Amino acid sequence: LQTRMLLDTLDYEFTRSYKEWQRVLGLTLGTTSSGRKTGPMADRVYRGLDWTATFRDVVPRRNATLPYELDCSPEIAKQVGPNWKHSIVYEENGNQTKCNGPQNPTSGYDWHGRAELAGPPGDVGFFKIVAGGTVHLPLWKSLTLHTSLNGGILQPLTYGGLCPSSTTSHISDRFFVGGPLQL
């Protein structure tokens, strides 16, 4: 059982032309089950249930010479301002459970999965699933092939008008190439 409170600023000005201020309150209940094996190939799988209430504020990048003008895309400009995200997340991962070493595996596989449901009492509603896996194949001596596949789906939900801003997904919940929610 873990509780957390967080005040943070996520700076996406260079890549997405906005900053996001976050105030987070969360509670996580997680388990790790161990099989009979110990060491690198042990059967350790993390399972966790997480409740989070997040107040977010999207602040667009401003023009350097005309500070009253925005220097961002119209999509970012439409989503400027505060929003309240209330979500429940179920997560499972077997990261490094079937690999021969945690730092630089040369054989084995690992995987992860996450399902998130956001909605009332917040003003953002969606259902999101993210999953992926990595395979490490030894080829010859110290030569190893590492391949991974990650994917996800995001479905905005309005809850019958309780989350009116959810007719499209919020910029902070979308997938971005190379970002923390990798595409």
Side-chain angles (χ1 to χ4, degrees), residues 74-86:
E75 182 67 23
I76 299 292
K78 284 192 308 188
Q79 298 196 23
V80 166
N83 67 63
W84 180 256
K85 177 180 154 187
H86 177 259

Side-chain angles (χ1 to χ4, degrees), residues 110-125:
D110 48 26
W111 54 272
H112 63 91
R114 175 183 169 107
E116 181 176 10
L117 180 64
D123 60 353
V124 175

Side-chain angles (χ1 to χ4, degrees), residues 2-4 24-30 46-54 86-91 114-117:
Q2 175 187 13
T3 60
R4 68 187 178 288
V24 180
L25 176 64
L27 181 66
T28 302
L29 179 63
Y46 171 79
R47 292 177 182 91
L49 188 61
D50 182 64
W51 167 84
T52 304
T54 307
H86 177 259
S87 69
I88 296 175
V89 175
Y90 177 74
E91 180 177 8
R114 175 183 169 107
E116 181 176 10
L117 180 64

Side-chain angles (χ1 to χ4, degrees), residues 90-140:
Y90 177 74
E91 180 177 8
E92 269 194 34
N93 74 56
N95 201 11
Q96 305 298 328
T97 57
K98 298 292 184 182
C99 295
N100 66 347
Q103 303 300 326
N104 190 16
T106 56
S107 68
Y109 62 93
D110 48 26
W111 54 272
H112 63 91
R114 175 183 169 107
E116 181 176 10
L117 180 64
D123 60 353
V124 175
F126 64 84
F127 179 67
K128 182 181 350 184
I129 296 177
V130 179
T134 303
V135 176
H136 313 281
L137 298 170
L139 296 178
W140 183 68

